[in-house]
Amino acid sequence: MSDIVKKILISEEEISKRVRELGDQITKDYQGRELLLIGILKGAAFFLSDLSRTIKIPITIDFMSVQSYGSKSESTGEVRIIKDLDFSVQGKNVLIVEDIIDSGRTLAYLKRNLLNRGAESVRISAFLDKPDRREVDVHVDYIGLKIPNEFIVGYGLDFNEMGRNLPYIAALKDEIYR
Ligand code: IMP
Ligand code: MG
């Protein structure tokens, strides 16, 4: 176990089982259509890489990177685009792929932004959901797992850029968090 980790909350096996189930559901729901997956860097790169390989219809992939103003724990709700998409979303069926939904501000902003650019449809997949933390009402179409309000790392999620590559999802050691 990594030395920044207090406790493993979701194992590698549980993650891959749940990702496969989401991929099967997305495959069914988008049968006969083309789908554009938009991964939100950097955290969602890991989930997107696994999820995209379980989807059995033609897909294309693009990435965006965004940052919320304010500190990590107190987002002001303003979102800034750090890296924009390579291609237009005009007329496309878009699935936003995100690592976690917390306050919901990032995903609410992104959904509005992509619809404003003329996407045909915009749905959201977030691998993790902290429902207790929600400040903005945003519908998540494909949720991996709901988790309690605790700061976690692994499977793309970081603490000061550490821990993204852990293959499981884990709570941080208290002395690191402080
Ligand atoms: P929201 O706009 O508050 O929903 O922010 C979601 C973003 O906050 C995610 O994309 C993560 O980058 C970050 N985040 C939220 N909770 C955690 C956590 O427990 N560990 C690491 N990053 C987190
Ligand atoms: Mg993120």
Side-chain angles (χ1 to χ4, degrees):
M1 197 162 71
S2 159
D3 58 4
I4 64 169
V5 161
K6 178 167 74 181
K7 184 168 177 252
I8 295 177
L9 303 175
I10 305 168
S11 71
E12 210 173 335
E13 292 71 27
E14 284 175 89
I15 293 171
S16 64
K17 176 168 174 285
R18 189 61 191 128
V19 171
R20 262 196 317 277
E21 290 169 354
L22 291 173
D24 289 347
Q25 188 62 50
I26 292 164
T27 301
K28 280 201 197 99
D29 292 354
Y30 285 91
Q31 207 57 244
R33 291 191 284 170
E34 281 174 26
L35 180 60
L36 168 62
L37 300 184
I38 297 183
I40 309 307
L41 296 171
K42 305 171 194 168
F46 300 75
F47 174 40
L48 184 142
S49 160
D50 288 343
L51 181 69
S52 62
R53 286 177 288 173
T54 68
I55 298 176
K56 305 287 188 263
I57 54 164
I59 59 159
T60 50
I61 292 173
D62 209 337
F63 289 98
M64 270 176 101
S65 180
V66 294
Q67 202 170 59
S68 310
Y69 288 102
S71 70
K72 188 124 195 171
S73 50
E74 302 264 330
S75 134
T76 59
E78 274 180 89
V79 178
R80 179 164 61 119
I81 295 174
I82 306 294
K83 181 228 173 283
D84 208 347
L85 299 168
D86 290 340
F87 300 106
S88 165
V89 296
Q90 181 81 43
K92 300 270 173 69
N93 293 305
V94 171
L95 180 62
I96 302 173
V97 179
E98 177 60 306
D99 47 11
I100 188 167
I101 177 162
D102 190 39
S103 72
R105 293 186 186 281
T106 306
L107 283 169
Y109 168 84
L110 285 170
K111 183 164 184 175
R112 218 181 322 119
N113 181 281
L114 295 170
L115 285 169
N116 285 342
R117 297 192 206 187
E120 167 77 20
S121 69
V122 179
R123 288 189 187 174
I124 295 174
S125 179
F127 189 64
L128 297 172
D129 181 11
K130 284 184 187 169
D132 296 345
R133 296 261 304 171
R134 200 76 82 256
E135 294 167 22
V136 179
D137 188 32
V138 48
H139 178 70
V140 182
D141 302 275
Y142 305 97
I143 291 176
L145 299 159
K146 291 197 162 109
I147 56 165
N149 181 16
E150 182 169 19
F151 198 86
I152 49 146
V153 290
Y155 199 55
L157 290 153
D158 71 302
F159 174 71
N160 290 344
E161 298 297 325
M162 284 188 301
R164 290 193 198 275
N165 62 320
L166 299 173
Y168 44 76
I169 289 160
L172 264 190
K173 271 186 186 158
D174 297 331
E175 60 261 39
I176 298 197
Y177 197 55
R178 262 183 266 118

